Amino acid sequence: MARAAQLGRLTVAIAWRRARLVERRPQTATARSLVLTVPGWPGHLPGQHVDVRLTADDGYQAVRSYSLAAPADADRIELGVQTVPDGEVSPYLADDLPLGADVEVRGPLGNWFVWRTEQTEPVLLVAGGSGVVPLAAMVRAHRRAQSRSPFHLLYSVRTPDEIWYRDHLADGDPRLDVRIVYTRQAPPGSTRAPGRIAPADLEEPTARLEPTSPVYVCGPTGFVEAVGNLLTDMGRDPATIRTERFG
Amino acid sequence: MNSFSPGFRGRSRSLADRLPPGQYPTESFPVLSAGPTPRVPTETWAFTVTTELGDTHSWTWEQMMALPQQETVQDIHCVTRWSKFDTHWRGVPLDAFLEDVETAADYVVVSSYGGYTTNLPLEDLLDGKAWIAHTYDGYPLSPEHGGPARLLVPHLYFWKSAKWVRGLRLTLEDDPGFWESVGYHNYGDPWREQRNWGD
Amino acid sequence: MADATGHLDGNCLAGPLSEILSVEPTTAWWRCPECARSGPLAGLHVYGPEPGLTARCPGCAYIALRLVREGEHIWLTVGGGTGAFRFRTA
């Protein structure tokens, strides 16, 4: 394939590749991790995404973007799928696509919303709901690389039932600091009242950053907008804030 | 049988006499956007018709509301394949704006607050086939659906029914608008499935 | 999918643009001719995906590009005008 993606170089992948579903794990009542094998997968950077294409029997096609949730593992890729009620694609991927069946994927895509293991500054990750997916790939890559760069993850969820990747986020990595913010219902004993991310939630994690430290914000459009505004109001250089919005 | 995504159907596409080819019926009223939603106060709203010679005719909100009003119930068809039956509108037929306008033009470019444009033949706006609509389902048209006023041309795909309408420019040639210039059909008849440039 | 009145960002253009560009597009630098703001393509505000993708300046909403997939063609405009490029992809 003349135009196969080469990591860290400029050329991008344009081909649709066959991807086989080999594992499906629940993350929450409505969220799933899908593991697919993609023969010839060229590898990817944490934060990159793929486009997934579904084809109906009559030829109708639907394409949606999904973030890669883990670093590359040979030809295995992991996606995070949040069911959108009444959605056309996500309920099918979350519950109906049979194990062993194929879809098509195109990628890896996007070189902007990525963290590279050679980066050394402290990093702040801010996730809203299923926006945690590409940030989880960064957390896993950070751990795998034994990076010395301190990582802080501020993760906003509505209720304790909606936390993805519990095992990965709570395994005592000394260079990973995870704070969870509950917007609707906090677990018993919480000292913080439920509510959206406020300046007070950002003060401590941003205090540990360097002026050039990157902040990665991923979540619904309104969440990303709100957090971006809070960060710039606190004096962060907008050029250091990288955002990824989804609907 | 396709070898990819077995069992995937997309949205159900049923057949009915009122459903143009390739459409599915919906109860909801999806909002498609190509930009931020303009907020246009009626105090500063104006509707302007500009002829091919550059003559202009303008109406303020009060002047528009003083024109004869019509209620109309229409099926609407979006090129993204949803159709919505029996939508209730109130507005002013375009005939009321165009009856005193001298023109030899055959085409119109419709322009909107926010910069959107769309093109269509002048005759498709006349004889009670199109309205400047300001009321939907008994309520003032919301900004998301094109309020304070949108064009309503229900016999063409709904992208022709420009939201946040601000004026018409009469032209001698058919001049492609916002979507027409990137591959969508210059006319857009849902019954002939004129979705794209080559259809 | 996008809440229809909201927008995504230029990251989501990586796949669609990969069909016509051979260089990864989302890190491309762009300067708005209207308000002089500059930044990466990834930071544009993107509306759509249907009837097409419209990428706008995050500061002033000036149109940076529009992209429509139609059968085996991709239509692209760069900037706010209506002159389009039509690419054959198959």
Side-chain angles (χ1 to χ4, degrees):
Chain A
M1 200 170 307
R3 296 219 200 165
Q6 299 168 57
L7 282 184
R9 300 185 195 169
L10 292 172
T11 310
V12 296
I14 58 166
W16 288 101
R17 300 164 191 269
R18 184 177 285 266
R20 179 155 296 170
L21 181 65
V22 295
E23 191 180 341
R24 175 188 273 120
R25 290 194 302 270
Q27 289 293 345
T28 73
T30 54
R32 310 280 181 266
S33 286
L34 302 187
V35 179
L36 303 126
T37 54
V38 190
W41 183 251
H44 59 267
L45 298 168
Q48 288 190 300
H49 67 272
V50 294
D51 287 348
V52 176
R53 181 162 75 179
L54 307 182
T55 305
D57 285 349
D58 64 1
Y60 172 80
Q61 293 188 321
V63 178
R64 297 290 186 276
S65 297
Y66 287 96
S67 290
L68 292 153
D73 178 11
D75 64 354
R76 288 165 70 91
I77 62 171
E78 180 183 326
L79 310 183
V81 177
Q82 170 67 54
T83 299
V84 179
D86 210 24
E88 185 175 33
V89 169
S90 60
Y92 172 82
L93 288 178
D95 295 317
D96 298 338
L97 175 69
L99 280 175
D102 292 343
V103 296
E104 290 176 286
V105 301
R106 171 172 72 185
L109 298 169
N111 275 353
W112 175 251
F113 195 80
V114 298
W115 178 78
R116 295 165 196 268
T117 50
E118 56 268 32
Q119 291 176 221
T120 54
E121 327 88 315
V123 170
L124 173 60
L125 312 173
V126 187
S130 56
V132 73
V133 175
L135 306 183
M138 297 181 191
V139 165
R140 292 169 175 180
H142 170 261
R143 182 173 307 145
R144 181 185 288 188
Q146 299 186 307
S147 165
R148 297 196 169 279
S149 136
F151 257 44
H152 307 277
L153 170 64
L154 187 62
Y155 181 11
S156 169
V157 290
R158 283 181 293 193
T159 69
D161 293 338
E162 295 186 10
I163 300 172
W164 298 47
Y165 309 126
R166 287 167 192 280
D167 301 343
H168 299 283
L169 299 182
D171 74 347
D173 182 340
R175 288 181 299 274
L176 172 66
D177 180 57
V178 179
R179 305 283 170 96
I180 298 182
V181 168
Y182 300 91
T183 62
R184 296 259 179 91
Q185 180 210 324
S190 294
T191 53
R192 181 189 180 281
R196 293 181 177 184
I197 287 182
D201 299 307
L202 286 163
E203 271 163 20
E204 197 182 330
T206 53
R208 304 186 212 168
L209 298 178
E210 294 164 12
T212 57
S213 289
V215 180
Y216 297 88
V217 186
C218 185
T221 299
F223 174 87
V224 168
E225 214 73 13
V227 171
N229 289 340
L230 287 176
L231 288 164
T232 49
D233 289 350
M234 295 170 77
R236 301 281 329 154
D237 177 357
T240 64
I241 304 169
R242 299 194 177 204
T243 61
E244 180 148 285
R245 298 169 167 85
F246 59 83
Chain B
M1 184 67 187
N2 193 291
S3 66
F4 293 114
S5 49
F8 174 70
R9 294 182 178 283
R11 297 197 189 278
S12 65
R13 279 147 283 159
S14 72
L15 297 171
D17 290 348
R18 295 169 68 181
L19 208 53
Q23 298 291 110
Y24 68 89
T26 180
E27 297 285 317
S28 65
F29 194 166
V31 173
L32 278 71
S33 70
T37 300
R39 309 280 159 172
V40 188
T42 55
E43 292 76 29
T44 56
W45 183 90
F47 180 70
T48 302
V49 174
T50 306
T51 72
E52 71 276 21
L53 299 175
D55 298 331
T56 59
H57 305 252
S58 281
W59 292 261
T60 64
W61 187 262
E62 285 73 25
Q63 289 167 332
M64 184 267 290
M65 295 302 275
L67 294 171
Q69 307 288 315
Q70 277 186 4
E71 305 274 343
T72 185
V73 180
Q74 298 288 342
D75 296 348
I76 56 179
H77 310 291
C78 180
V79 73
T80 63
R81 299 182 182 274
W82 58 264
S83 289
K84 185 170 172 62
F85 297 145
D86 298 326
T87 59
H88 290 249
W89 304 86
R90 183 174 171 80
V92 179
L94 264 294
D95 303 280
F97 298 97
L98 292 167
E99 62 183 357
D100 294 330
V101 175
E102 287 287 329
T103 182
D106 288 328
Y107 297 97
V108 173
V109 174
V110 184
S111 60
S112 298
Y113 292 94
Y116 181 80
T117 60
T118 187
N119 58 297
L120 66 173
L122 176 57
E123 65 177 4
D124 285 81
L125 293 181
L126 301 176
D127 301 324
K129 291 197 293 288
W131 296 262
I132 299 297
H134 51 72
T135 301
Y136 174 72
D137 241 357
Y139 292 95
L141 187 60
S142 68
E144 289 70 25
H145 286 301
R150 76 181 298 161
L151 185 65
L152 176 65
V153 196
H155 69 284
L156 300 179
Y157 280 126
F158 212 47
W159 88 79
K160 300 283 184 180
S161 294
K163 297 195 258 191
W164 316 296
V165 67
R166 69 181 300 175
L168 309 178
R169 186 166 55 85
L170 298 161
T171 59
L172 300 174
E173 307 288 336
D174 199 7
D175 190 3
F178 188 93
W179 290 122
E180 294 85 356
S181 61
V182 274
Y184 281 92
H185 199 277
N186 260 333
Y187 186 62
D189 180 350
W191 294 96
R192 288 186 279 166
E193 216 172 344
Q194 293 172 333
R195 299 177 192 277
N196 302 118
W197 187 73
D199 292 336
Chain C
M1 283 327 301
D3 144 25
T5 56
H7 58 265
L8 300 178
D9 46 47
N11 295 300
C12 71
L13 295 174
L17 281 173
S18 76
E19 296 187 52
I20 49 173
L21 300 180
S22 62
V23 176
E24 204 292 315
T26 60
T27 55
W29 183 91
W30 181 78
R31 180 180 185 277
C32 178
E34 188 74 13
C35 72
R37 180 178 177 139
S38 63
L41 184 140
L44 297 175
H45 287 183
V46 178
Y47 296 82
E50 292 181 312
L53 295 160
T54 303
R56 293 175 179 267
C57 173
C60 74
Y62 180 83
I63 297 172
L65 63 86
R66 276 177 296 151
L67 187 73
V68 170
R69 191 154 212 347
E70 172 251 308
E72 58 193 27
H73 296 121
I74 286 182
W75 295 72
L76 175 71
T77 67
V78 179
T82 55
F85 295 94
R86 186 185 60 162
F87 295 83
R88 181 179 288 277
T89 61

